[in-house]
């Protein structure tokens, strides 16, 4: 656990020094929500049924941008190879990077929700939505972190990340959108979407932790 926290602290410190990836992700999320607010204002009177989908699509691409950028920097500097030589379990290294990406992305998402609350005049900063956001983001980051590791040494990493991530994240996105809609008072059927989201998150975290030692091998 100490090793994972040390890796998380190191990654957060580096992310603060080199903020290009996270600033790009935050700018993308803010611009997307701003554009959606103008587009939906012209197309629909009640935007609440559309909010879950547009929010999670925004979070999806913001996470791909930020996670890909963080691993790209480590691959360029060679720090990832140096970390692999440290006498710590590979799963601890994965856990630290996952936590760092989770913290960074949650900051972007909370700021995006605050902006969306103002633009759409809908209460989005609620405890229920916060729980859904935390569970969904944890499952999403678990998978994207290991996929970013796979693509960190590939020249076409910018193209590879969405191609790898999007098909695997479809179940999570469906469950997250439906659970978010239910939290906003929209009909979501009788399926336990939040439970399905939690199951996918556990599967993603466990599977990615097991796959990470293989992913970092050349």
């Amino acid at each position: 656990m100490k090793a994972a926290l040390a890796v998380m602290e190191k990654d957060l410190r580096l992310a603060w020094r080199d903020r290009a990836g996270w600033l790009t992700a935050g700018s993308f999320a803010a611009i997307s929500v701003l554009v959606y607010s103008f587009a939906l204002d012209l197309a629909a009177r009640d935007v609440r049924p559309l909010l879950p989908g547009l929010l999670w699509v925004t979070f999806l691409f913001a996470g791909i941008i930020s996670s890909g950028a963080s691993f790209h920097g480590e691959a360029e500097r060679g720090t990832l190879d140096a970390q692999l030589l440290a006498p710590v379990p590979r799963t601890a290294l994965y856990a630290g990077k996952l936590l760092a990406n989770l913290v960074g992305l949650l900051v972007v998402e909370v700021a995006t929700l605050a902006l969306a609350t103002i633009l759409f005049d809908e209460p989005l900063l609620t405890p229920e939505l916060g729980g859904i956001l935390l569970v969904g983001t944890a499952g999403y980051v678990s998978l994207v972190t290991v996929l970013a590791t796979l693509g960190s040494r590939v020249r076409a990493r910018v193209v590879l990340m969405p191609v790898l991530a999007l098909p695997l994240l479809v179940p999570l996105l469906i469950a997250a959108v439906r659970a978010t809609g239910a939290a906003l008072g929209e009909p979501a059927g009788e399926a336990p979407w939040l439970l399905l989201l939690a199951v996918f998150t556990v599967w993603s975290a466990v599977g990615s932790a097991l796959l990470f030692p293989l992913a970092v091998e050349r």
Side-chain angles (χ1 to χ4, degrees), residues 35-195:
V35 171
Y36 283 137
S37 69
F38 283 104
L40 296 180
D41 186 55
L42 296 174
R45 293 181 179 273
D46 185 12
V47 300
R48 184 178 297 181
L50 305 175
L51 280 177
L54 70 87
L55 286 175
W56 279 101
V57 168
T58 302
F59 297 157
L60 170 70
F61 286 101
I64 288 176
I65 292 170
S66 58
S67 298
S70 64
F71 275 93
H72 171 65
E74 289 204 330
E76 289 290 327
R77 293 188 295 266
T79 55
L80 181 60
D81 292 330
Q83 292 175 65
L84 295 176
L85 296 176
V88 297
R90 299 287 173 86
T91 52
L93 180 63
Y94 166 76
K97 292 187 173 301
L98 185 153
L99 291 173
N101 285 332
L102 179 62
V103 170
L105 188 54
L106 283 175
V107 171
V108 173
E109 290 175 344
V110 170
T112 303
L113 285 181
L115 179 61
T117 298
I118 297 171
L119 294 175
F120 295 108
D121 194 24
E122 291 288 343
L124 300 175
L125 293 173
T126 63
E128 187 176 5
L129 278 177
I132 295 170
L133 187 70
L134 178 61
V135 175
T137 305
Y140 165 73
V141 171
S142 299
L143 192 56
V144 171
T145 298
V146 73
L147 293 179
T149 308
L150 285 169
S152 61
R153 297 185 176 93
V154 180
R155 290 182 180 272
R157 61 178 66 88
V158 177
V159 178
L160 184 63
M161 269 293 292
V163 172
L164 291 175
L166 292 178
L168 297 174
L169 289 170
V170 168
L172 180 142
L173 290 175
I174 293 174
V177 168
R178 286 304 190 94
T180 303
L184 292 175
E186 296 298 318
E190 298 181 356
W193 295 110
L194 184 56
L195 177 60

